Amino acid sequence: MRWALVKVSLAVTAMVVVAFAVPLGLVVKEMARDRAFSNAERRAAGLAPVLAITTDRQELDKAVATTEDGAAGRLAVHVPAEDSGGTALEIGTRRADAEELAVTRRLGRASIAEVPGGFALLQPTALSSGQVAVVELFVPEGEVTNGVATAWLVLAGVGLALIVGSVAVADRLGVRMVQPAQRLAGAAHDLGEGRLGARVPEEGPPELKSAAVAFNSMADQVVQLLANERELAADLSHRLRTPLTVLRLNAASLGSGPAAEQTRAAVEQLEREVDIIIRTAREAKPQTQATGPGAGCDAAEVVRERMEFWSALAEDEGRRVRVAGIERPVRIPVARPELVAALDALLGNVFRHTAEGTAFSIDVHNGDDAVIVLVSDAGAGIADPAAALARGNSGGRPGSTGLGLDIVRRMAEATGGDVAIGHSVLGGTEVRVWIGLDGRRQGATAGRRGHRPARRRRGGTGTRRAADA
C-alpha cells in the first residue's frame, strides 16, 4: 500500500507538472521573443524623425553611426529612389531579402524576417516625398531567447521539487496508514499463536483506529473467556483435588477390611474422574492470559494464606514446615488465582509423593528483576526431573494427572521465567520457580536458557545448591 501511494502520487504530480510547466515554458519563450522585438521596434523608430527631415546620405550615415545598433553594425536604412531614374539609397549592411523589403513597403507595417544568426526587424517609415523607407534592425538569436533557458531551469527545478515533495508526503502518509495495518496484522498473528497479551495501539487513520479498537475488544473477550475456563479448571483443582488428597491420606489410615478397601477404591475412582476433567479443561485451550500495568498479587500474602490451609494437614502428618522470605510484601506480575494454583500444585505434590513426617520448606527470594520461590522437601527426590516437567507426564505415579508442574511452568513462563528441579538442602527435591518482574513474554525460552546460571545466583544459598545439583 505504501509503494502504491508513492507511485500514484508520483504519476499524478508528474502529469500536473508537465501540464503546467510545458505551457508556462512556451509562454516564457514567447514573452522573451515579444520583449526583444518590442525593444527593437522602439530603437528602429528612433530614426523616423531623421528620415522625415532629410534623406541625405551623409546625414543619415551620421545618424546611424550615433546609435548603439548602428555602431555595432546591426542597423541599416533602405531609402527608395525618388524617381524612376534615380538611385536607391542603402546605409548599413542589408540582411533581409529585397522581396521582404518590398512587401514591408507595400503593407506599411513592421515585419520580421528570419536571417542567418537571428532575425531582421523591418520597420517602414514615411518620407517627406511620400515614399516609404525601411529601417532594418538585426536582432541576434541570443537576444530573442535571453532568459528563456534560466526560466526553463527554474520551472524544471520547481517541478522536480514538487514531485519530490509529493513523493515524500505520499510516503509519510503511506507509513501512517501502513504501520497501523502492520501492527494489526502482527498482533493478529501473535494472538493466533496464543500470545493473548497482544494489543494494538489505537491510533492512525479513523478506519484503522476503529479496526484496532475492535481487535483489542476481541482480544480482551478472548482473554476473558480463556480466563474463565482457566478459573474453572483451577477451581476444580482447588476444590476437588485438595480434599481428595486429604480423603486418600485419611483412607490410607483406616487399616484393613472391606469397608476400608471400598473407601480407598471409591477415592481412587473419584480421583481418576477428577483427573480426566482436569486434563480435558487444561488441554482444551492455551493457558496464557494477558497482564497489564497494576496486574499481579503479593506473593508473600498468598504463601501465608496457602500455608494456613496446608498447615493443618502437615500437623496431622507430623511434618515440620519452614517458611522464609514472606515478612514483607513481594509484588509479582501474576494473577492471584495463578499463584494459588501453582502453590497448591507444588505443595500437593509434596503431600502426595513423600512419606508422612517428611519435612518441607518454602523460601521466597525477592530480587531487582525477579522473584524466586523455592519449594523443598526431605523426601526421596525425583529420579527424572526432565520427565517430571513434561506436560501431562505423571511418571507412573498413582493419583497424578501430570499437570501440576506444567501449571507451575506455564505460570512462570508467562512472566519470562522458568521452572527447574534439583536436589534440596533437606535431602530431597527442590523446585525452583523463577518469576520475572518486567512481564516480558517475547523470547522467554531463549532468555531462560541464556540467563539461568545468573538467575540462580540471585536466589541465595538454596538456589545455588539447586544449580549445582
Side-chain angles (χ1 to χ4, degrees):
M1 182 185 294
R2 177 181 177 183
W3 290 114
L5 288 173
V6 169
K7 291 177 182 177
V8 169
S9 176
L10 177 62
V12 171
T13 308
M15 289 190 293
V16 171
V17 168
V18 170
F20 283 91
V22 172
L24 189 57
L26 296 177
V27 169
V28 169
K29 182 179 179 181
E30 191 64 26
M31 289 176 62
R33 178 187 176 92
D34 292 343
R35 182 178 64 250
F37 289 128
S38 295
N39 292 334
E41 287 183 6
R42 179 178 51 79
R43 297 196 303 270
L47 287 179
V50 178
L51 289 172
I53 297 173
T54 181
T55 58
D56 182 71
R57 185 180 187 89
Q58 291 183 353
E59 295 295 332
L60 292 177
D61 282 339
K62 186 185 298 183
V64 169
T66 57
T67 64
E68 181 181 352
D69 293 313
R74 296 186 300 183
L75 184 63
V77 179
H78 307 283
V79 181
E82 293 184 358
D83 52 34
S84 59
T87 304
L89 181 62
E90 288 192 0
I91 299 173
T93 304
R94 179 170 63 87
R95 292 179 174 83
D97 296 337
E99 182 180 355
E100 294 172 341
L101 293 173
V103 171
T104 301
R105 285 194 183 98
R106 186 175 67 252
L107 295 178
R109 63 173 180 268
S111 63
I112 299 172
E114 189 172 353
V115 297
F119 301 89
L121 173 68
L122 304 177
Q123 178 70 42
T125 302
L127 302 176
S128 59
S129 61
Q131 294 180 319
V132 177
V134 177
V135 178
E136 178 184 345
L137 183 65
F138 175 68
V139 181
E141 179 71 27
E143 188 175 335
V144 174
T145 59
N146 183 31
V148 174
T150 302
W152 282 7
L153 287 175
V154 171
L155 288 175
V158 171
L160 184 61
L162 287 175
I163 292 175
V164 172
S166 68
V167 169
V169 171
D171 181 68
R172 291 299 90 197
L173 180 62
V175 169
R176 184 172 177 267
M177 295 179 62
V178 168
Q179 282 184 345
Q182 289 176 339
R183 288 195 294 264
L184 185 61
H189 181 72
D190 291 343
L191 187 65
E193 290 187 348
R195 291 190 284 273
L196 302 183
R199 295 294 183 274
V200 182
E202 298 174 0
E203 58 188 20
E207 295 80 4
L208 292 176
K209 185 176 180 180
S210 248
V213 171
F215 176 85
N216 291 340
S217 177
M218 177 194 68
D220 291 338
Q221 291 180 10
V222 170
V223 169
Q224 186 60 43
L225 290 174
L226 293 181
N228 292 340
E229 182 178 346
R230 188 179 178 90
E231 288 295 332
L232 176 60
D235 187 64
L236 287 174
S237 176
H238 300 161
R239 294 177 181 274
L240 299 178
R241 202 73 174 98
T242 301
L244 284 176
T245 300
V246 177
L247 287 175
R248 183 172 60 83
L249 295 174
N250 290 339
S253 64
L254 293 178
S256 59
E261 293 299 331
Q262 290 177 0
T263 301
R264 283 191 285 268
V267 171
E268 291 175 1
Q269 177 64 27
L270 188 55
E271 282 187 330
R272 285 193 296 270
E273 296 297 333
V274 171
D275 292 345
I276 294 174
I277 295 174
I278 294 176
R279 284 194 183 96
T280 302
R282 291 294 186 185
E283 295 177 357
K285 298 287 182 180
Q287 298 180 36
T288 307
Q289 69 176 26
T291 58
C297 66
D298 181 2
E301 180 185 354
V302 175
V303 170
R304 286 194 298 269
E305 176 188 313
R306 300 319 297 161
M307 284 310 302
E308 290 178 3
F309 174 82
W310 289 95
S311 60
L313 183 58
E315 185 177 352
D316 290 343
E317 295 186 358
R319 298 176 182 267
R320 290 185 295 105
V321 181
R322 181 180 65 84
V323 182
I326 60 173
E327 297 81 10
R328 293 180 297 175
V330 180
R331 296 294 303 181
I332 60 174
V334 176
R336 184 184 185 87
E338 299 283 334
L339 183 59
V340 170
L343 288 175
D344 282 347
L346 294 175
L347 296 175
N349 284 341
V350 172
F351 281 89
R352 281 193 296 272
H353 304 300
T354 61
E356 294 186 9
T358 302
F360 68 93
S361 66
I362 299 179
D363 296 274
V364 179
H365 301 272
N366 189 9
D368 294 334
D369 61 349
V371 170
I372 298 177
V373 179
L374 300 176
V375 178
S376 309
D377 63 63
I382 298 177
D384 190 351
L389 286 172
R391 177 178 173 83
N393 183 10
S394 65
R397 292 171 292 176
S400 174
T401 63
L403 293 169
L405 288 177
D406 183 66
I407 294 172
V408 179
R409 178 177 60 81
R410 286 180 174 273
M411 181 271 295
E413 288 181 353
T415 67
D418 64 0
V419 177
I421 298 178
H423 295 292
S424 72
V425 294
L426 299 179
T429 301
E430 177 188 81
V431 180
R432 180 189 62 83
V433 184
W434 192 93
I435 301 172
L437 296 181
D438 53 4
R440 288 176 295 181
R441 296 169 179 268
Q442 290 82 359
T445 303
R448 292 194 308 276
R449 292 176 181 173
H451 298 281
R452 179 173 292 176
R455 290 172 177 174
R456 283 175 176 161
R457 283 194 296 272
R458 289 194 294 268
T461 305
T463 311
R464 288 194 296 271
R465 293 182 180 178
D468 297 337

